[in-house]
Structure formats: structure tokens, C-alpha cells
Amino acid sequence: MNTTTAATAAVPPPLPRARDPKLRRMANVLRALAMDAVEQAKSGDPGMPMGMADVATVLFTQFLRFDPLLPDWPDRDRFVLSAGHGSMLLYALLHLTGYPDMTIDELKRFRQLGSRTAGDPERGHAGGIETTTGPLGQGIGNSVVMALAERMLAAEFGEEIVDHHTYVLASDGDLMQGVSHEAASLAGHLGLSRLIVLYDDISISIDGPTELSFSDDPLLRFRAYDWAAERIDGHDHVAVAAAIERAQRSDHPSLIACRTTIAFGAPTKAGTAAAHGAPLGATEIAGARERLGWNEPPFVIPEDIRAEWREAGARGQPLRRAWEGRLQALAAERRGEFLRRQRGELPSGLDKAVATLCDDFRRANAKIAIRQGSGTVLDGLTRVVPELVGGSADLTPSNNTKAKDQKDVRRGDYSGRYIRYASANTVWRRQ
């Protein structure tokens, strides 16, 4: 556990030597931007971005498929920052890789009213923010749905059109929440192998060591959910890359527990709760800059490092163009159907179908239970809205939630439109 106190850290040990100095410098700019933005805002969490900077650098430079110039490219990889309290890590990554609306001025306005850089990531504030997070566990829950949607769309449109991964950066707090347990169980049950969770395994919470309230072993728990799970040194770039490669080859969803030091580089607060959710302070930041070998003023990015990050951001453009070529090769009707769903537009025949259902109910004027009427409506809607997906938590016959033309989504067969799960009932649209 990384439970070093401020007293014992008065004479900090030397930082481990980076196996790839270039990647360490690229990671250090993430650390510097996080320190600077949180300090300027006098609020926020610098510890997680500083600790997970090495993991994020490996992911964004070597694995993540994305294109900042077309942030909503449908077959991009998804990156979900479930640990939303460390939002400056995401904002710094978006700025460095070239998302046009995440400027250096937005980083300077971190947590200010009207900025794109909210304390926790907000979907719609800037390109590259895949979902709103903040409430712990929410990002993991959302990512399971994203990974399931990817498999369902691939089953319908083919893997030449839909073939991407969903990556999640999660914290100890995320894995403590009940929603993450339920979502992870479903992901394992359905074999969502394109889902890879990078767990910031720091054993530190705001109150202190996580052992104050958390003593289960997440790796054993996730293995019981039928996940692949392993623990690595999150500051070893080679180990991080090798673990992601193993996860990509796995037939199971993967949890990679990355042992990191919160506020990596800080002279007295690294590895302590003092770096969890509060600015480091000017003296500590000066010491961190010295230890990291970072001599630039606040918010200044050396041009060579900026160029390396922009090169990483441009990696996805050829992949995106190749995908666009495959999309154009689809039959016009299938291509149009895929794009309609991506735009969030409802089918053209929906209004007529709803009107017909209403007329039928008026003519019948029958005294029926609401759940019976709901079942009839679902039977009608699923015929004209192919992306309408239903499900139930062991209440299918009681609540009539399964339409007559729906079949189950199963591990290895994602062509169905009905999900059996262990949480509250819902009906959602697959996009």
C-alpha cells in the first residue's frame, strides 16, 4: 500500500528511472498541467492525474484509436474517466492531442463558471468527453453499456464497421460502489471482451488508507465475475503496454490494477491522502517540478513535447479514413440505417405506428392492466424501431417487458434485443 505519511516523506526517495525517457517527459507534462490548473483554481484533485499519467500516456500514444478532428467518429475507441475527480488528466490529454475546443485557456479556467473544464467531466462540454462522470461507479456502469452496444452493433452491421474497445480509468472509490459490482457482473456474464478497465490501485482515500473501509480484493472479485484480472506497476511503461496487449487478446473483460503513487513526484505529499482532492500548494509544486526535472513555468509546454503529443493525436486519422471507405462500401440502405442511428434520429415510420397503436386501444376500449397495455405497445414499437432494446431483472413474465419479436442477448450472440440483468427495469435505445 502507498500509505506514506508527510513525516516519513520529509526526505523523499529517488524517483524510479523511466524505462522510456520520452514517455516519461510526455507524462510529466500531464502532471505539470494538473498541478498548475488545480493550484490556479484553488480546488480539484492533482493526485490522480499525477499518479496515472504514465498509464494514460501509454494508452493514448500506443493503443487508443481516436481522431481529435472528428471526435464523434462512430468506430473510435471509447475512453471513460470513471474517476471523474481527476478530470484534469482528461482535459490535459484532450488539449495535448489536439482537440480544437480544449485550448490552453480552458485549462487555465479549470472549475470556473462557464468553462469547458468542469470539476468532473460533463458530456457535451468538449469533444472527447464520452460521458458525464463524477458519482463514483457511474463511469464503469456507462462503460459496460458502451461495450455491450459495440458488440450488438457489430452483430448487426459487421465488424468491418463496428470494431472498437472501451477503456475505463477507475479508482478505488469506483470499485467500492454497488453499481460497479452489478455492472461488472453483467459484463462478465456476457463476455464483453472489448472492455478494459485500468484501475488506479493506490490504496488511498480522502480519509486515509482505503483499509479504513475497504478490505476485499478487487482482483479476486473480478475474477469471480469471469473477468481477466492482473496487477502491474503503473509507472512501468513496458508493463502497462504489455498488460493492455494481453487484455486486447483476452476472451474476457479485463481489469488491470495499476499500482501507482498518488501525486507521483511530489516531495512530501506523494502517496498520501493530502494529495487527494486539494491543491498541492506552491512549495510542494516547486519541489515536484524539481524532482520531475520540469523547469517550465505554469501552463508552458515545450514545443518538442507538444509535437510528440500532437503526433499521437494524429495517429487515428488514417484509421478513421479507412473506416469511412468501408462505410461507403456498404449498400446504401444499410449505410443509411447505420448513420440514422448515429445521428439519433427515429425511424420515419414511427409516427404512423404510434397512431395505429392509439387507434387500436381506443377501438378496443378494454379494461386491461397497465403492464398488459405496455406489452402491447412494446410489440408494436419494436417492429418499427430496430434499435429499441429492452430488458428485465427477473420480471419478464410479470411485467410483459419482452416483445414478441425480441430474442435474448447472450454471450457470444449479441444479435438479440433483450437483456436479462440484475438491476432496475429499463428500456433503452441502442445507438
Side-chain angles (χ1 to χ4, degrees):
M1 292 185 180
N2 296 314
T3 55
T4 308
T5 64
T8 60
V11 180
L15 295 177
R17 171 176 282 182
R19 295 183 69 172
D20 188 330
K22 172 185 171 182
L23 289 181
R24 179 55 57 83
R25 291 186 74 227
M26 294 178 76
N28 281 344
V29 71
L30 296 173
R31 295 183 172 105
L33 289 172
M35 289 191 294
D36 295 340
V38 172
E39 184 67 21
Q40 180 153 300
K42 302 302 179 187
S43 180
D45 189 319
M48 189 281 276
M50 295 174 71
M52 286 296 280
D54 292 308
V55 174
T57 298
V58 172
L59 177 64
F60 271 71
T61 61
Q62 299 181 30
F63 294 97
L64 197 72
R65 303 191 324 163
F66 65 104
D67 183 356
L69 300 183
L70 196 66
D72 291 331
W73 163 36
D75 202 35
R76 69 194 180 280
D77 287 338
R78 270 57 169 179
F79 175 71
V80 176
L81 185 67
S82 192
H85 53 277
S87 57
M88 260 311 301
L89 178 63
L90 176 59
Y91 301 147
L93 287 163
L94 297 181
H95 171 70
L96 291 167
T97 54
Y99 283 79
D101 51 4
M102 190 57 69
T103 64
I104 194 68
D105 287 336
E106 289 294 342
L107 301 190
K108 293 177 181 179
R109 297 175 63 215
F110 177 58
R111 295 180 73 99
Q112 303 306 299
L113 185 65
S115 74
R116 298 181 185 275
T117 47
D120 293 295
E122 298 279 349
R123 170 70 178 169
H125 279 199
I129 302 175
E130 295 288 359
T131 185
T132 298
T133 57
L136 290 171
Q138 178 172 301
I140 291 181
N142 288 348
S143 70
V144 170
V145 175
M146 291 179 183
L148 177 55
E150 189 272 342
R151 288 291 80 199
M152 294 173 73
L153 283 169
E156 185 171 358
F157 291 97
E159 291 193 350
E160 69 278 7
I161 301 301
V162 183
D163 182 18
H164 59 263
H165 286 83
T166 299
Y167 296 93
V168 188
L169 196 162
S171 63
D172 286 308
D174 287 300
L175 300 194
M176 295 177 188
Q177 304 303 314
V179 65
S180 72
H181 295 232
E182 294 180 2
S185 176
L186 180 64
H189 174 68
L190 293 175
L192 301 179
S193 61
R194 306 300 180 91
L195 176 62
I196 299 174
V197 175
L198 299 159
Y199 161 37
D200 185 20
D201 187 11
I202 56 172
S203 301
I204 287 287
S205 65
I206 291 177
D207 284 355
T210 53
E211 63 189 13
L212 293 171
S213 60
F214 183 57
S215 56
D216 59 285
D217 187 330
L219 270 68
L220 293 179
R221 175 154 54 86
F222 274 72
R223 287 169 185 157
Y225 294 148
D226 204 15
W227 285 53
E230 64 173 300
R231 179 171 278 113
I232 63 167
D233 179 352
H235 298 302
D236 184 333
H237 304 131
V238 175
V240 172
I244 294 174
E245 288 174 351
R246 286 190 293 272
Q248 289 181 336
R249 294 193 299 267
S250 176
D251 293 330
H252 306 266
S254 295
L255 177 77
I256 303 172
C258 305
R259 281 288 196 188
T260 64
T261 300
I262 189 172
F264 179 92
T268 68
K269 295 184 179 181
T272 74
H276 204 327
L280 294 178
T283 300
E284 189 77 4
I285 289 175
R289 276 180 147 77
E290 182 178 355
R291 296 195 73 210
L292 295 170
W294 189 262
N295 302 314
E296 305 299 328
F299 297 105
V300 173
I301 303 167
E303 284 306 314
D304 61 329
I305 299 179
R306 183 186 297 277
E308 289 166 351
W309 271 110
R310 290 299 163 91
E311 181 180 350
R315 284 188 314 110
Q317 292 180 19
L319 299 173
R320 188 255 301 169
R321 294 191 190 101
W323 176 85
E324 289 173 338
R326 295 193 298 273
L327 180 67
Q328 287 300 314
L330 278 184
E333 184 176 349
R334 282 176 58 76
R335 182 172 67 250
E337 175 64 13
F338 178 83
L339 293 175
R340 175 189 69 77
R341 297 190 198 182
Q342 295 301 313
R343 292 191 298 266
E345 297 174 358
L346 291 168
S348 58
L350 180 60
D351 290 344
K352 182 179 179 180
V354 171
T356 300
L357 280 170
C358 292
D359 290 342
D360 290 345
F361 274 114
R362 293 191 190 97
R363 280 195 298 271
N365 196 28
K367 294 181 179 181
I368 59 175
I370 292 176
R371 66 187 66 181
Q372 289 177 287
S374 174
T376 300
V377 170
L378 289 175
D379 286 339
L381 292 181
T382 54
R383 297 189 188 103
V384 294
V385 186
E387 66 267 36
L388 185 63
V389 176
S392 177
D394 196 31
L395 290 170
T396 300
S398 301
N399 290 343
N400 294 336
T401 49
K402 187 177 184 182
K404 293 176 181 177
D405 66 344
Q406 286 184 314
K407 73 173 188 176
D408 287 358
V409 174
R410 298 180 182 275
R411 184 186 191 118
D413 181 3
Y414 305 100
S415 60
R417 290 193 290 157
Y418 193 78
I419 305 165
R420 300 182 189 269
Y421 46 85
S423 58
N425 293 337
T426 188
V427 174
W428 52 279
R429 290 183 61 230
R430 171 163 40 114
Q431 295 184 354

